[in-house]
Amino acid sequence: MFCYQCEETINGTGCTVNGACGKKGEVAVLQDRLIYALKGYAFCNSRGRLKGCADPAFGPFVMEALFSTLTNVNFDAAYFEKMITETLKRRDTVRNAVHNGAPPGPGAPNVAVITYEELMTKTADDIGVLATADTDVRSLRETLVCGLKGLAAYGMHVFILNAEDDDATDAVYQFIEKGLVSTIDDSPLEKPGTTQMVALLLECGGFGVKIMSMLDAANTKAYGTPSPTAVKTGVGKNPGILISGHDLKDLEMLLEQTKGTGVDVYTHGEMLPAHAYPAFRAHAHLIGNYGNAWHHQKTEFESFNGPILMTTNCLVPPKETYADRLYTTNMVGYSDDKIRVKHIVSGTGGAKDFTDIIKAAKICLPPYELENGTVMTGFAHAATLSVADKIIEAVKSGHIKKFVVMAGCDGRHKERSYYTEFAQALPKDTVILTAGCAKYRYNKLDLGEIGSTGGIPRVLDAGQCNDCYSLVVIALELAKAFGVNSVNDLPIVYNIAWYEQKATLVFLALLHLGIQNIVIGPVLPACLSPAVLDVLVKTFNVSKNTDVETDIMRLITL
Ligand code: FSO
Ligand code: SF4
């Protein structure tokens, strides 16, 4: 196997035997085969589009398949075998339609004709990341594939909420198709700096902005406008179900089905911002948020005592002590030699039956209390901009000197303590704007409020990682209010933490918006070759974080 799609990749270069995330080599090569099959499906569908016979279900299927290959989503070999079979079946249907049932000509690329049996003999060297020999072309292709995975993940949430806007959604699907096809185009490519591939990366970022805005609108339409909310971190006396991941529709269905059962519901990890939506707050049995970011789950799932529903990433291979209380849904899955995690399937119209989980919860002990306080969330764009006057006044009067965007992901490497220390070291006239699970490194610190104005907390959590969109809206509105031409002229700096491929998409989205001087860490993505990185440095002045003192000096003091 060879996988270097996430921050944890071994030695900063690539996982080659098993993944640091727990993904087995066998599953990694199945994921490579699925991606290869998807490229063939995209190729044939692009031909079908020209002839008016494209597969109308291409978009949702490809999004689900791409999402399943994101870090910490699916560890189940059988799932990938099924998806490869289905992808090839769909590819053949559309290819046959293109050729009116005739066999493809001798010039057809291998991705368009390879059979299941042939594909299952292919190794990572044949069809995976390293199959592209040129390191810069490989870098551009794999960065794009990571961006497409992020796009697919957010697109899937829009799809699940039935919030697709036909034209916009179709443009996203066509871009995913174009992006996948671009990775099998072996015609001579120009070198980075002027290549079409760099343009494609920025185009991917543009679609990232679009899909995050659609998801923002979909969430607000379905669940109301988020507002600042103090979420309890303690526990009640009833047994509970813990829901993790990003899927708000699953939370909606779970809350409905647990009503009046005596079973409480708690959020975990990236589900924390759900508490800020009026539709969820209305449920008295949604008690609070249990625990911290995803990588603490081995201890937190154990002490929770009740069932856990994992709706998206980030799943860590479970311990046997709680594996029988763990359930997956959507494209999440886990199985190994000893454990097969139970999976909840979708029925008609996406309906799910959580009866088994609720039944299991009833015989569990209440959660063991880990802490007992509150944590704030809900500073999405509408809430933050409703106090724009106060914020603008605080900037003008010098009470706020800088906004520091510290969005992104948390992770388990010990260097991540940098983010806690950086937040603590920031001067008191700075405000942290955050989204994503990166917030857990500082959202429980008492960093206080802004000087004399009061009422503006120094950490404003906009929500899940896709709610980075809110941070963009806030920046654009502040630019208007201050009458500057570009968000780069605002007193906003970026110190982003990344872990997986949704963060790659968010990063590309920021570049698409022309944001300069972004600092990322705790390491640079391994997929960036020196030449591609050089383009990003020269065009956007992107850099890696260093140490707290140096970064405070260069981002805040100077
Ligand atoms: Fe975190 Fe995991 Fe939301 Fe990611 S839970 S790391 S960027 O999957 O998706 O922020
Ligand atoms: Fe390694 Fe990350 Fe790939 Fe897992 S997802 S195999 S940790 S690079």
Side-chain angles (χ1 to χ4, degrees), residues 231-242:
V231 183
K232 286 187 196 146
T233 57
V235 304
K237 294 197 170 20
N238 293 334
I241 296 172
L242 188 60

Side-chain angles (χ1 to χ4, degrees), residues 158-201:
V158 173
F159 179 75
I160 285 169
L161 286 172
N162 262 329
E164 300 187 287
D165 154 332
D166 285 350
D167 290 343
T169 319
D170 202 50
V172 172
Y173 296 164
Q174 283 196 47
F175 181 74
I176 292 176
E177 181 183 289
K178 177 169 108 173
L180 287 171
V181 172
S182 78
T183 66
I184 52 170
D185 179 0
D186 283 327
S187 56
L189 287 166
E190 300 163 66
K191 277 289 182 183
T194 53
T195 72
Q196 292 169 325
M197 287 293 289
V198 170
L200 261 184
L201 290 182

Side-chain angles (χ1 to χ4, degrees), residues 385-454:
L385 293 173
S386 72
V387 292
D389 288 357
K390 219 172 178 181
I391 293 174
I392 291 163
E393 183 44 44
V395 174
K396 286 187 174 157
S397 64
H399 287 103
I400 297 178
K401 289 263 169 50
K402 268 192 184 153
F403 295 94
V404 188
V405 175
M406 289 181 74
C409 324
D410 197 5
R412 52 196 146 192
H413 285 164
K414 65 176 186 330
E415 305 88 283
R416 296 251 181 188
S417 60
Y418 161 92
Y419 293 102
T420 309
E421 290 154 21
F422 184 86
Q424 284 168 320
L426 281 168
K428 301 269 176 272
D429 53 11
T430 54
V431 172
I432 296 174
L433 303 175
T434 192
C437 59
K439 61 172 145 277
Y440 282 102
R441 289 284 168 175
Y442 38 79
N443 67 348
K444 293 177 183 173
L445 302 174
D446 183 11
L447 295 180
E449 296 190 336
I450 282 298
S452 66
T453 56

Side-chain angles (χ1 to χ4, degrees), residues 196-264:
Q196 292 169 325
M197 287 293 289
V198 170
L200 261 184
L201 290 182
L202 297 182
E203 195 180 350
C204 186
F207 279 102
V209 177
K210 181 73 202 159
I211 205 77
M212 286 191 279
S213 83
M214 287 172 72
L215 185 51
D216 175 82
N219 285 338
T220 305
K221 186 168 171 222
Y223 307 117
T225 304
S227 58
T229 305
V231 183
K232 286 187 196 146
T233 57
V235 304
K237 294 197 170 20
N238 293 334
I241 296 172
L242 188 60
I243 178 166
S244 192
H246 303 69
D247 196 309
L248 298 182
K249 184 74 189 171
D250 286 330
L251 176 62
E252 177 194 338
M253 291 188 277
L254 183 65
L255 284 168
E256 278 304 320
Q257 293 178 39
T258 42
K259 226 187 249 174
T261 61
V263 172
D264 290 335

Side-chain angles (χ1 to χ4, degrees), residues 120-177:
M120 295 306 264
T121 65
K122 298 292 180 195
T123 65
D125 286 347
D126 300 327
I127 53 161
V129 171
L130 299 178
T132 302
D134 183 298
T135 49
D136 299 326
V137 175
R138 183 197 304 152
S139 170
L140 291 162
R141 284 181 177 172
E142 295 308 320
T143 308
L144 180 62
V145 170
C146 286
L148 294 176
K149 290 184 182 192
L151 192 56
Y154 293 150
M156 204 61 210
H157 289 298
V158 173
F159 179 75
I160 285 169
L161 286 172
N162 262 329
E164 300 187 287
D165 154 332
D166 285 350
D167 290 343
T169 319
D170 202 50
V172 172
Y173 296 164
Q174 283 196 47
F175 181 74
I176 292 176
E177 181 183 289

